[in-house]
Amino acid sequence: MPPRHSLPEALLTTLSTTRGRSDRLTHTEHLPARRARYAPWPDWIRPEISASAQAMGVRQPWAHQAEAMNLAKSGQSVVIATGTASGKSLGYLGPVLSDLLDGTEARNGRGATALYLAPTKALAADQRRRAAELAPPRVRAALYDGDTPPEEREWVRQYASYVLTNPDMLHRGILPAHARWSSFLKTLRYVVVDECHGYRGVFGSHVAQVLRRLRRICARYGSSPVFLLASATTADPAVTARRLTGLPAEAVTEDASPRGPMVFGLWEPPLTENVGENGAPVRRTATAEAAHLLTDLVERETRTVVFVRSRRAAELVALQTQDQLGRPLADRVAAYRGGYLADERRALERELHSGRLLGLASTSALELGVDVSGLDAVLMAGYPGTRASLWQQAGRAGREAQGALAVLIARDDPLDTYLVHHPEALFATPVEATVLDPDNPHVLAPHLCAAAAELPLTDPDLELFGPSAAPLLPVLERRGLLRRRGDAWYWTRRERAADAVDLRGSGGSPVQIVEAPTGRLLGTVDASAAHTTVHTGAVHLHQGRSYLVRDFDLENSVALVEPADPPYTTSARDITSISVLSTDTTVDWGEGRLSFGSVEVVNQVVGYLRKRISTGEIMGESKLDLPPRTLRTRAVWWSVTEDQLLDADIPPDQLPGAAHAAEHASIGLLPLFATCDRWDIGGVSVPLHPDTGLPTVFVYDGHPGGAGFAERGFRRAAQWLTATREAIAACECERGCPSCVQSPKCGNGNDPLDKAAAVRLLDVLLAGAPEAAAEPGRGGEAGRDRGADGDRPSGHPGRPSPTQAADGAGEAARAAEAARAAERAGTPEGKPGEEPGPDGPTGEGDGPPGAS
């Protein structure tokens, strides 16, 4: 057997040279090992903590851990942004547990407290184990989440000194009941925000407002906690931390941890003999390819995690791998995803920690810091959406400094295809900045209501919530949600204000998935995704078993399923229309125009396709009758003139296919320039849009009020659309395929599409791009005084804020959006999208499932 450090190279060679795979490995990157740099333990760290760490093999902290400890002890908020397995936990646990130990000497044994926030329950449970290993039992660490039994919750409130929870529980369970938490909040010394790079888009904007509410309540009880944030490597971590917490933070970015050598392969599945929509060539799916590779790795007893993009894909990879392995190895492969019940999740985590599982197919739940020491390999079935997530997932292997193998398997998708043939975009490009917008009125308005319900809002509070807060208060008063008495604003309703806020932007209560023959609850799915995933006739997978949705009850949010074993998966089809509400900024690109502003999108799921599991071949289509849903959001759009179409030799009959193909490809490439996923955004192309009077392509955020992704596309449009053009032109297919211009979520069945005309259309558009269009608008009012990648200082007057657009129409439209957001904030039973808005112009749609 070769030595361990050469295993990754040998494994990749074996995988790529057996079973006819010699042409699938497109690039191999060798990442060298890195030696550790140590620092002495700070002298103020409690000896119990350092002794426990040394007993676990940590004789001295790494230099970045010691730096973070000293910053925290000085009272400075800090963000630790270093690589996976770099010991970020010890960097914040050192000061936290030392101060909590000091607090145990108080009369009540709780002279200091700390709060830990994680995006997942699994991560919080993992961190509780780490705290218990480092600190003696008198530091009472306790989980407080949806799985905590009611009888334990009172004990946690009264006695726990280190409470580990998630933003949802802080928002719904702690802040509204702050009086019952008063003794904990009075002595709150630290707030730990783990995996903070995951708080992006609408979810991140919500969490930013929850943290501001927490700071306000803490001030009420006389505490001012230090915020300690941990993040994967990301651009501008100090800016991200400040935007998230509202406080300045010092960034620790110099990674002093050791790293074993890593071999990183880029892998493109082969073309199959099957054809997809409109006769397009089809590659083997990334999940099927991952299952084959996982089978080979498990047979070699190589501990491997496969990261996939969806819950369904996790189940498919595990199921296909088990079928290929047979017993007894099949029992050592499992799926791990959200939606499982608590007991199922805990059992899988124990088996992964023990090493009993050799192969695990997981969603991003295991990306977020759960300790899976000892892994040899990581397979990624599809680009995870950002370079930060890519390195976070790849870093799960080699966590004991041994050599590691990471393989990115491309999906049949423009972005994945572009990346496996342009390795410099991954290995020679810095990671992205995290995008979030706490000033989004759809986010801010309901949090102002929640804050007023917790404590009456006063003028000094408004500075905490940002410059958009003051203009929203009169709107909330007109809607009967807040009432002003003297110098304070009060919540007026009987219901809990916090219950009207959906942190994760899912648009309503989760849909329960119930097994019809037995009445057993299998799990849940977000309301926003329900129309596309659990519609009547959909295939649902759970724990390796297949089910068919017999009935989707919209009124009661229940999907009734029954066991089945169909040879296909299902894919929803929808139609989308869009109208412009306001234009914040327009930049001339020669005769063409690039714009950014507010839009209204009307989306309706109208049917679904049945696709063969092994090949993706289309087996049939069925119609659905589901209600339309409306989304008011932010978009970037570009228009061209008739003269430009003549210059590009695009006659009227080719224009719909050209614009549609360019729209699909641009959606596929935007995640390379903004911290988003293809499913976070949508698009519409219209040969003649009534609001612009020109052929127009829109790309919009799939979240109410926007998430910042379309704005990032506007700021980096030249690079984004250039990469889009290159991705289409470089594809070897003749008429368009999923690797260039076809979309897996096209509401029009990927018809019409004209690949060659799309290249000519983008050529004529890009020919008019400003010379210095690295970020359109830079040097003008909209782009002045920005940081890297167009990020702006909070509240800077040079950038139109969500409630102060660049022109009067934009300001009026955003005020109207704020009013609608405020109205929804006060009616918990009202869910965005239940009532369709006015019909917009009909065009070709590529919308995010359930985003409307």
Side-chain angles (χ1 to χ4, degrees):
M1 184 175 183
R4 192 168 183 83
H5 64 79
S6 66
L7 273 176
E9 187 84 41
L11 279 174
L12 188 59
T13 300
T14 300
L15 292 176
S16 61
T17 57
T18 58
R19 308 195 190 195
R21 299 174 179 150
S22 58
D23 59 344
R24 303 182 197 180
L25 187 65
T26 63
H27 178 79
T28 303
E29 190 81 9
H30 296 268
L31 305 174
R34 179 181 60 216
R35 300 188 65 177
R37 291 186 293 107
Y38 295 95
W41 286 99
D43 55 13
W44 50 266
I45 289 286
R46 291 280 298 224
E48 300 96 322
I49 305 300
S50 57
S52 295
Q54 291 172 28
M56 296 164 57
V58 182
R59 289 178 295 178
Q60 285 185 303
W62 293 316
H64 66 273
Q65 293 172 322
E67 180 185 359
M69 292 177 190
N70 285 320
L71 284 169
K73 187 63 175 178
S74 72
Q76 175 67 58
S77 290
V78 58
V79 53
I80 312 170
T82 52
T84 309
S86 61
K88 293 185 284 288
S89 296
L90 184 60
Y92 57 72
L93 282 174
V96 167
L97 296 179
S98 289
D99 278 15
L100 294 185
L101 267 175
D102 290 342
T104 62
E105 297 167 3
R107 179 177 300 177
N108 65 355
R110 199 163 72 159
T113 56
L115 183 69
Y116 170 92
L117 299 175
T120 65
K121 295 176 183 178
L123 181 54
D126 187 75
Q127 287 296 309
R128 182 194 184 188
R129 286 191 292 268
R130 295 190 184 189
E133 291 171 347
L134 284 170
R138 65 180 184 274
V139 173
R140 298 185 289 263
L143 292 172
Y144 190 81
D145 58 31
D147 296 337
T148 305
E151 61 272 16
E152 290 184 17
R153 296 188 180 189
E154 186 60 32
W155 183 91
V156 174
R157 281 191 289 266
Q158 293 188 12
Y159 301 108
S161 52
Y162 189 33
V163 173
L164 300 99
T165 186
N166 50 65
D168 311 79
M169 202 68 176
L170 174 61
H171 157 64
R172 290 183 181 272
I174 296 177
L175 293 178
H178 61 84
R180 302 177 68 188
W181 287 84
S182 59
S183 64
F184 178 87
L185 295 170
K186 284 177 182 177
T187 56
L188 188 60
R189 192 76 54 85
Y190 295 104
V191 176
V192 177
V193 184
D194 207 354
E195 303 294 344
C196 69
H197 62 281
Y199 298 121
R200 60 179 176 84
V202 169
F203 180 42
S205 302
H206 276 297
V207 172
Q209 292 299 345
V210 171
L211 295 180
R212 283 157 176 76
R213 284 164 51 201
L214 173 64
R215 289 174 51 207
R216 176 172 175 260
I217 293 296
C218 286
R220 162 67 175 78
Y221 291 106
S223 62
S224 180
V226 171
F227 281 78
L228 307 179
L229 300 93
S231 170
T233 304
T234 182
D236 299 323
V239 173
T240 298
R242 180 164 192 159
R243 195 169 295 153
L244 195 59
T245 66
L247 293 169
E250 289 290 329
V252 175
T253 58
E254 195 75 25
D255 194 335
S257 64
R259 183 184 67 194
M262 174 176 282
V263 176
F264 204 128
L266 303 182
W267 190 282
E268 185 173 43
L271 289 169
T272 67
E273 296 178 354
N274 303 295
V275 294
E277 292 176 324
N278 306 309
V282 175
R283 293 190 182 275
R284 178 182 288 170
T285 65
T287 51
E289 192 80 347
H292 280 280
L293 296 180
L294 180 60
T295 299
D296 287 357
L297 291 167
V298 170
E299 286 177 342
R300 290 167 174 78
E301 296 195 355
T302 304
R303 292 186 62 193
T304 307
V305 164
V306 181
F307 284 107
V308 295
R309 306 299 309 280
S310 68
R311 296 178 176 186
R312 174 181 294 176
E315 299 282 3
L316 279 173
V317 170
L319 184 62
Q320 292 177 10
T321 303
Q322 290 166 349
D323 288 344
Q324 293 164 21
L325 285 170
R327 299 291 185 269
L329 280 178
D331 295 331
R332 302 186 69 181
V333 174
Y336 184 99
R337 61 168 177 81
Y340 281 177
L341 301 180
D343 291 345
E344 294 173 323
R345 291 197 309 270
R346 299 290 182 261
L348 286 170
E349 290 161 20
R350 287 193 298 270
E351 291 181 339
L352 184 61
H353 278 282
S354 70
R356 194 198 74 79
L357 286 177
L358 281 175
L360 193 69
S362 174
T363 58
S364 60
L366 282 182
E367 173 191 332
L368 298 175
V370 179
D371 187 5
V372 286
S373 301
L375 289 180
D376 300 304
V378 164
L379 305 177
M380 290 165 278
Y383 180 60
T386 66
R387 289 180 290 274
S389 289
L390 178 87
W391 292 111
Q392 187 80 351
Q393 291 183 359
R396 294 297 104 187
R399 288 172 64 84
E400 293 179 343
Q402 76 268 25
L405 171 66
V407 179
L408 172 62
I409 305 167
R411 292 171 300 165
D412 213 356
D413 170 271
L415 178 55
D416 286 39
T417 302
Y418 179 86
L419 290 173
V420 295
H421 292 286
H422 293 80
E424 70 280 358
L426 293 176
F427 303 113
T429 305
V431 294
E432 309 88 346
T434 301
V435 176
L436 65 144
D437 182 8
D439 290 337
N440 179 337
H442 291 261
V443 171
L444 177 57
H447 282 285
L448 291 175
C449 292
E454 290 154 6
L455 288 173
L457 274 170
T458 61
D459 288 341
D461 294 329
L462 299 185
E463 183 178 354
L464 181 68
F465 290 103
S468 297
L472 277 175
L473 291 177
V475 176
L476 295 168
E477 184 179 33
R478 286 197 300 272
R479 295 295 175 182
L481 301 172
L482 298 183
R483 180 178 302 164
R484 183 157 194 169
R485 294 177 183 171
D487 295 331
W489 300 82
Y490 293 79
W491 171 246
T492 63
R493 303 289 185 92
R494 291 183 177 180
E495 59 266 26
R496 283 166 36 107
D499 290 342
V501 187
D502 181 6
L503 294 194
R504 298 176 189 266
S506 61
S509 302
V511 172
Q512 294 186 318
I513 303 169
V514 177
E515 188 176 42
T518 65
R520 181 169 65 101
L521 176 65
L522 296 182
T524 61
V525 63
D526 290 342
S528 61
H531 281 220
T532 56
T533 58
V534 290
H535 55 76
T536 300
V539 175
H540 175 71
L541 296 177
H542 181 79
Q543 289 282 49
R545 298 186 63 184
S546 299
Y547 297 84
L548 274 176
V549 179
R550 191 176 76 185
D551 181 56
F552 178 30
D553 186 341
L554 281 167
E555 184 176 349
N556 295 307
S557 296
V558 173
L560 293 175
V561 303
E562 54 191 11
D565 191 22
Y568 58 83
T569 62
T570 50
S571 174
R573 285 291 180 248
D574 57 9
I575 56 174
T576 306
S577 63
I578 194 166
S579 56
V580 176
L581 297 176
S582 67
T583 303
D584 285 7
T585 311
T586 294
V587 178
D588 290 333
W589 277 27
E591 295 180 31
R593 287 183 175 181
L594 181 78
S595 301
F596 172 70
S598 297
V599 297
E600 181 175 81
V601 182
V602 179
N603 173 270
Q604 183 178 19
V605 174
V606 295
Y608 63 95
L609 297 177
R610 295 182 297 280
K611 296 183 178 181
R612 196 176 301 278
I613 292 175
S614 58
T615 64
E617 177 186 1
I618 296 172
M619 300 173 62
E621 181 174 1
S622 299
K623 301 297 183 183
L624 291 170
D625 184 20
L626 290 168
R629 292 178 293 173
T630 299
L631 170 72
R632 294 179 178 92
T633 186
R634 307 285 269 168
V636 54
W637 62 92
W638 50 269
S639 303
V640 294
T641 64
E642 281 192 36
D643 288 343
Q644 287 178 295
L645 294 177
L646 289 173
D647 292 341
D649 192 22
I650 300 176
D653 63 321
Q654 292 182 10
L655 177 58
H660 194 194
E663 171 222 322
H664 280 184
S666 63
I667 289 172
L669 269 292
L670 182 56
L672 193 60
F673 301 91
T675 51
C676 68
D677 179 84
R678 180 173 193 144
W679 302 92
D680 289 327
I681 52 180
V684 177
S685 56
V686 188
L688 183 63
H689 195 281
D691 293 334
T692 65
L694 296 167
T696 306
V697 173
F698 294 84
V699 176
Y700 61 86
D701 292 343
H703 301 275
F709 307 137
E711 182 178 9
R712 182 61 59 90
F714 175 77
R715 300 298 164 201
R716 303 197 63 188
Q719 301 101 312
W720 166 38
L721 294 176
T722 297
T724 299
R725 188 263 179 211
E726 291 176 358
I728 300 173
C731 186
E732 298 176 358
C733 73
E734 292 184 10
R735 294 186 298 165
C737 69
S739 293
C740 57
V741 298
Q742 286 195 351
S743 168
K745 55 192 179 112
C746 178
N748 292 74
N750 284 297
D751 183 52
L753 290 175
D754 192 322
K755 173 184 175 180
V759 173
R760 298 197 301 274
L761 180 62
L762 288 167
D763 279 340
V764 74
L765 174 71
L766 288 165
E771 288 289 331
E775 292 177 22
R778 183 175 288 282
E781 185 67 18
R784 189 185 311 151
D785 292 336
R786 294 179 183 273
D789 290 336
D791 286 327
R792 82 285 184 191
S794 177
H796 193 280
R799 179 259 193 188
S801 74
T803 53
Q804 294 174 323
D807 55 40
E811 185 173 352
R814 291 295 267 177
E817 287 178 48
R820 287 187 287 266
E823 184 171 17
R824 279 200 298 275
T827 49
E829 70 279 8
K831 299 171 186 176
E834 286 188 334
E835 298 181 3
D839 291 336
T842 300
E844 313 301 342
D846 186 40
S852 297

